[in-house]
Amino acid sequence: MTKNDLRIVFMGTPEFAVETLRMLVDNGYNVVAVVTQPDKPVGRHGSVLQPSQVKQFAVEHGLPVLQPEKMKDPAFVEQLRSYRANLQVVVAFRMLPEVVWAMPEFGTFNVHAALLPQYRGAAPINWAVINGETETGVTTFFLDHDIDTGRIIMKKHFPIPDDANVEYVYDGLMHLGAAICQETIEAIIAADGHPATIAQDSVADGSSLRPAPKIFKETCEIDWMLSAKQVYDFVRGLSPYPGAWTTLKDTSGKQTVLKIFKTRKTGIKATAPREITIDGKHLYIAAADELLEILELQAEGKKRMTAADFLNGMREKIKMQNIF
C-alpha cells in the first residue's frame, strides 16, 4: 500500500491536534474525513457557537467534518464507515467505543503526550511538569478497551528544563507529536498495516506509575505546606493555563484570589509556611522549607503583572498578612 492509497480519518479537537493534522495535509496524506467535538456555545448568553480549532483548519482545507454528540450514535457510526478508512489517527480527543476504534482494517492509533505507561490520562503535560520530571515525550499506540493502555508503536523523548513552564513543553510536544505521527504512519505502510509493537507492561521499569487525571479548579490551589521545589514545579506545571492559585486575606479582611504564574527558588530558609515577606519591590511567600519569590501574578479582576507592579498598589493592604 502507498501513501496515496491509505485512507485516513483524523480525530482531534484542540490546537495541540492541529499541528498533526497540518502535517498530514502538508505531506499529501489522504485524509478522507475529520472528526471533532461539536461547536461550543460561547459569549455572554451562549448564543454564539465556536468551532474547535481542528474544525477551523479542516474547513479551511476542504476536509469533510463530522461532529457527533455521541460516538455510539448509529447514524454517526454508519457515516464514519462510509469513508472506508484503512486507519484512524487520534490526537487529543475523547474516549472512543470499540465500534469506532476497531472499524479500520489497520486499527486506530493515538498520539499521547507522555512516555507511556507513565502519565496515562487527560493532562499528561501538566502533571509531568508538576511532578518535577526532567524528561517527557510522545508515544503512539494502538487503541484497545482501556484508556491509554494499548500496544506501543513508537516513542520520542523530550527534555524538560528546570525553568520551563507547561506552555514550553506543550509547544515542544505538539511539534514532536506531528513528527512521531508521520513516522508511525510510514511504519504502518511499510509493514502493510502491521508494524512491530510492544505491550506497555513490558516497558515498565518497576517504578510506580504516575497518573495524569483531568485538572479542575480545586486541583490548582497551592499547598504552601509543600517544599519550595514542589510549589515551584506546581506553579510552572499550571502556567499559563489554567494557573495555580492561592488566597490572600488583606488588612481589611477581604479575601482575594491570586493566580501565580512564575516564581523563583531563593534558598532562603522560611520560618513559617504561608508567611508573606516584602523587600523593596520583591514579594516572597514561605513554603514549608524556604521562601519563594513571586515574579508574575494576577489578582481577581486585574491583568497579569509583575510582582513589583502588584506591590505598587497593594503594599499596605498585604503588609503583615499571610496566605491562608
Side-chain angles (χ1 to χ4, degrees):
M1 177 173 285
T2 68
K3 181 169 73 172
N4 293 333
D5 296 326
L6 185 70
R7 297 174 63 84
I8 299 172
V9 166
F10 181 85
M11 300 184 183
T13 295
E15 175 195 27
F16 190 89
V18 173
E19 190 64 27
T20 300
L21 180 56
R22 187 192 314 278
M23 178 279 298
L24 294 173
V25 171
D26 289 350
N27 286 279
Y29 289 95
N30 186 18
V31 180
V32 295
V34 171
V35 182
T36 190
Q37 295 279 39
D39 295 355
K40 183 182 298 185
V42 295
R44 188 170 183 179
H45 303 291
S47 57
V48 178
L49 293 178
Q50 179 175 306
S52 72
Q53 287 159 303
V54 161
K55 179 182 177 179
Q56 293 176 50
F57 181 90
V59 170
E60 289 170 2
H61 290 80
L63 300 174
V65 176
L66 285 64
Q67 296 178 272
E69 291 282 351
K70 297 181 180 179
M71 299 299 291
K72 290 183 179 180
D73 179 10
F76 162 70
V77 171
E78 286 308 307
Q79 186 180 19
L80 182 63
R81 198 184 307 277
S82 72
Y83 286 99
R84 298 178 290 107
N86 308 108
L87 178 70
Q88 291 175 158
V89 176
V90 180
V91 184
F93 197 53
R94 61 175 118 169
M95 187 174 178
L96 303 181
E98 182 175 1
V99 68
V100 172
W101 59 255
M103 188 180 296
E105 60 178 313
F106 297 155
T108 301
F109 78 80
N110 184 76
V111 178
H112 187 73
L115 298 173
L116 291 173
Q118 292 291 355
Y119 295 105
R120 294 167 175 159
I125 305 176
N126 298 93
W127 285 108
V129 181
I130 288 171
N131 288 332
E133 302 286 1
T134 58
E135 181 183 64
T136 184
V138 288
T139 304
T140 52
F141 68 96
F142 283 115
L143 296 190
D144 64 12
H145 292 91
D146 298 314
I147 297 176
D148 299 338
T149 60
R151 294 185 66 85
I152 291 171
I153 310 167
M154 290 184 181
K155 287 186 181 184
K156 282 185 177 292
H157 294 249
F158 183 84
I160 306 177
D162 183 65
D163 61 349
N165 65 12
V166 76
E167 183 175 46
Y168 171 90
V169 182
Y170 179 99
D171 288 344
L173 295 187
M174 180 171 64
H175 291 91
L176 195 62
I180 198 174
C181 178
Q182 182 172 14
E183 291 185 28
T184 299
I185 292 174
E186 291 304 313
I188 290 172
I189 291 173
D192 197 23
H194 303 286
T197 61
I198 184 169
Q200 290 194 34
D201 56 7
S202 67
V203 298
D205 59 6
S207 59
S208 299
L209 295 183
R210 290 183 162 182
K214 187 174 181 179
I215 290 175
F216 299 94
K217 180 181 179 181
E218 55 269 25
T219 313
C220 302
E221 184 176 10
I222 298 170
D223 180 0
W224 295 101
M225 297 303 294
L226 297 174
S227 70
K229 174 64 165 63
Q230 288 174 304
V231 176
Y232 171 81
D233 291 336
F234 187 79
V235 168
R236 65 193 185 97
L238 296 168
S239 179
Y241 182 83
W245 61 272
T246 192
T247 306
L248 170 72
K249 185 175 182 180
D250 66 24
T251 52
S252 69
K254 180 182 178 182
Q255 297 180 17
T256 301
V257 173
L258 299 179
K259 279 192 174 183
I260 298 179
F261 297 101
K262 190 174 183 180
T263 65
R264 182 180 68 85
K265 293 171 287 183
T266 66
I268 302 171
K269 185 175 176 60
T271 55
R274 302 186 179 90
E275 187 173 64
I276 292 176
T277 301
I278 301 172
D279 181 9
K281 294 184 178 181
H282 300 276
L283 173 64
Y284 303 91
I285 301 178
D289 53 352
E290 67 180 64
L291 300 183
L292 271 180
E293 182 176 4
I294 310 304
L295 300 178
E296 295 180 17
L297 71 164
Q298 181 179 12
E300 284 181 287
K302 304 291 184 180
K303 64 180 182 179
R304 179 172 170 173
M305 65 185 73
T306 65
D309 289 339
F310 174 76
L311 288 174
N312 285 338
M314 292 287 290
R315 185 181 303 270
E316 291 306 316
K317 285 188 177 182
I318 67 172
K319 191 174 182 180
M320 301 302 293
Q321 295 300 303
N322 289 355
I323 297 292
F324 73 102

